[in-house]
Amino acid sequence: MRTVEHTRQGEVAQVLTLREEPRRPAPGPGPGRGEVLVRLLVRPVHPGDLVGVEGMPGQPELESEQQPEQQPEARIPGVEGMGVVESVGTDVHAPRPGQRVAVFPAPGTWSDFVVVPAALAVPVPDGVSDETAALMLVNPLTLRMLYRALEDALRGRKGPVLQTAAGSSVGRLVSAAADRHGLELINLVRSTSGAEKVRTLHPSQPVIATCDDDWQGQVRRHAGERGVQVVLDSVGGAITLELSGLLADGGTLVSYGQLGSGTTPLEALRLVARGLTVRGVSILHWMNRTAEERAQDVAFAQDLAQSSPDLLQVAGSYDLADFKAAVEHARRPAKSGTVLLTTPLTADSVQGAAR
Ligand SMILES: NC(=O)c1ccc[n+]([C@@H]2O[C@H](COP(=O)([O-])OP(=O)(O)OC[C@H]3O[C@@H](n4cnc5c(N)ncnc54)[C@H](OP(=O)(O)O)[C@@H]3O)[C@@H](O)[C@H]2O)c1
C-alpha cells in the first residue's frame, strides 16, 4: 500500500513523501458501520490539493491538535478519486464489493486505499472511463455551486458575466454551461495562445487576453456602458481591483480561487459607494446543501461524465509514486485539463475486490 503524505506545510517537493507498506491496506479495523473501503485507481491533482499542502501565502499553517512533544500527524492530500469497492462495513447495501465508484469528499485520496461513508461512494455510470470518473465530482459540483451563485446574483437577467481563467478545467465547464443556457459570457485568459484555444471551443463567446494593454477597454466594449453584472473569478490577488472596476453598480464578484498573486485591500473596491457584493464559493461547503440538492448535483455530474467526457479533459497521467512530476505538470502554463495520479489494477487487486 502506497500513500503520499506530509507532516508540515511547505513546497511540495520538500514536504511530500511516499510511504510504502508491504501489505494492503494499512492495519486497522477496516470499514466501519455505513462505510466502504475503496481501492483507488485514479485521483486528480487539483489546485486546491496543492494549497492544502503548501498553504495560502500569508495565512497560518493548518492547525494541529497534537502536543508539541508528539510526532506531527501525517496528512494525505486529495479529496476526490475513483476506484473499486474492496469491502463494505455493516449496514451497507450499496455500493457492493467490486463496483466502480467515484468518491468525494474523501480526504486522503493520494493513497491506494480510502475509507468513506457509503453515501459518498457514487457509482460510475456504464461506459464512463476510469479517467473521466476520477474527474466526475469536484469540478462539475463546483460548476453547480457557481451557477447557483450566478443565478442569485443575476436575478433573472442573462448577463453580461465575466469569467477569469476561462481556459481552466472549471472555466471550460462554465463556458459550456453558458452556451447551453444562452448566458452572455465574456471570457478572460492571460495569454494570446490561451485566448485562441477558448475561441476555438466556444466561437460565439468573446475571449480577451489580459496580456493586451487595453483588455479592460475590450471588456467594456463587449459588456456595454453599464459594465458586467457578475464576475466569476478564480484568479484574485492584484487583478481584483481591475475586475471590480468592470462591474456595473450593484454587481457581484464571485470569488472561488486564488491562482494569481498580490492583494487588493477591501477598501479599494468601493463596495459601499457602488453597492457591490463580494461572495465566496467553495466546494468545501457542498456537504451543507440538502440531501435532495446533493442528489440532484450528483445526478448532473454522472450525466455530464456520460454525455460530455470531453469537458473533463485529462492533461496527463502519472503513477502515484511520480507525484512530484505530476505536480510539476499540474502547474505548467498552457496545459489543458487536469493531471491524474494512477495506481495500476493488479491481479491481486481484482481478487481482492472479488472477495
Ligand atoms: N472554490 C472551489 O470550490 C473550487 C473548486 C474547484 C476549483 N477551484 C479553483 O478554480 C481554479 C481553476 O481550477 P482548475 O482545476 O479548473 O484549474 P486548471 O485546470 O489547473 O487550470 C488552471 C488555469 O489557470 C490559468 N492560470 C494559472 N495561473 C494564472 C494566473 N496567475 N492568472 C490567470 N490565469 C492563470 C491557467 O492558464 P494558462 O493556460 O494561461 O496557463 C489554466 O488555464 C483554481 O483557482 C481552483 O482553486 C475552486
Side-chain angles (χ1 to χ4, degrees):
M1 162 151 164
R2 304 170 310 160
T3 301
V4 178
E5 60 185 28
H6 63 117
T7 52
R8 62 189 169 91
Q9 287 187 319
E11 218 272 296
V12 161
Q14 284 169 12
V15 301
L16 280 186
T17 55
L18 182 74
R19 180 163 54 89
E20 291 194 67
E21 289 165 312
R23 295 192 56 76
R24 56 120 228 146
R33 167 174 258 160
E35 292 178 334
V36 297
L37 172 68
V38 178
R39 177 187 286 270
L40 289 162
L41 301 176
V42 193
R43 68 293 275 160
V45 178
H46 284 305
D49 297 328
L50 304 182
V51 171
V53 176
E54 301 196 333
M56 290 284 259
Q59 290 195 4
E61 186 159 339
L62 288 175
E63 280 174 29
S64 171
E65 284 171 8
Q66 76 253 348
Q67 301 303 313
E69 65 274 10
Q70 288 178 314
Q71 278 282 51
E73 196 185 320
R75 290 174 193 275
I76 307 168
V79 291
E80 171 174 38
M82 75 75 57
V84 176
V85 175
E86 177 90 352
S87 60
V88 303
T90 52
D91 293 342
V92 174
H93 306 293
R96 303 304 306 157
Q99 196 169 348
R100 285 196 313 152
V101 291
V103 293
F104 172 78
T109 54
W110 290 21
S111 177
D112 285 333
F113 290 90
V114 73
V115 173
V116 290
L120 301 181
V122 175
V124 176
D126 290 345
V128 171
S129 72
D130 289 355
E131 289 73 19
T132 299
L135 297 170
M136 188 174 85
L137 295 174
V138 165
N139 287 348
L141 300 185
T142 300
L143 171 69
R144 295 279 286 186
M145 294 186 74
L146 287 175
Y147 226 85
R148 249 173 243 119
L150 192 57
E151 284 175 342
D152 286 352
L154 285 174
R155 294 184 294 272
R157 290 169 297 202
K158 283 284 182 189
V161 171
L162 179 67
Q163 77 155 336
T164 58
S168 68
S169 305
V170 175
R172 289 185 56 193
L173 289 171
V174 170
S175 293
D179 276 346
R180 244 186 350 263
H181 297 289
L183 178 78
E184 199 186 323
L185 181 70
I186 303 167
N187 295 292
L188 274 188
V189 293
R190 61 178 170 176
S191 69
T192 311
S193 58
E196 211 39 61
K197 273 197 225 168
V198 177
R199 224 169 264 132
T200 306
L201 290 167
H202 301 282
S204 64
Q205 297 177 10
V207 189
I208 295 161
T210 53
C211 60
D212 287 354
D213 287 341
D214 72 331
W215 69 268
Q216 293 169 74
Q218 293 179 44
V219 173
R220 286 198 182 92
R221 283 195 284 284
H222 283 289
E225 220 164 88
R226 284 193 60 210
V228 297
Q229 302 293 338
V230 182
V231 176
L232 295 178
D233 177 41
S234 64
V235 174
I239 204 175
T240 307
L241 181 60
E242 289 146 323
L243 296 174
S244 72
L246 295 167
L247 277 170
D249 285 356
T252 303
L253 175 77
V254 176
S255 167
Y256 72 99
Q258 201 173 345
L259 291 163
S261 54
T263 54
T264 299
L266 196 59
E267 294 72 24
L269 301 183
R270 301 181 60 226
L271 298 179
V272 178
R274 303 197 45 228
L276 302 181
T277 300
V278 177
R279 176 170 177 181
V281 167
S282 170
I283 189 74
L284 298 177
H285 299 296
W286 183 71
M287 287 300 287
N288 298 338
R289 297 181 49 69
T290 66
E292 190 185 347
E293 288 168 335
R294 279 189 276 126
Q296 287 168 1
D297 289 353
V298 166
F300 167 84
Q302 288 171 309
D303 183 57
L304 186 91
Q306 255 184 324
S307 61
S308 311
D310 51 310
L311 288 177
L312 304 175
Q313 194 181 345
V314 175
S317 292
Y318 295 79
D319 185 81
L320 183 63
D322 293 331
F323 63 91
K324 285 183 187 167
V327 169
E328 184 278 316
H329 189 169
R331 289 186 155 150
R332 218 177 276 164
K335 80 169 167 61
S336 295
T338 306
V339 172
L340 301 177
L341 288 166
T342 60
T343 301
L345 188 61
T346 59
D348 164 55
S349 47
V350 173
Q351 281 162 14
R355 267 198 293 272

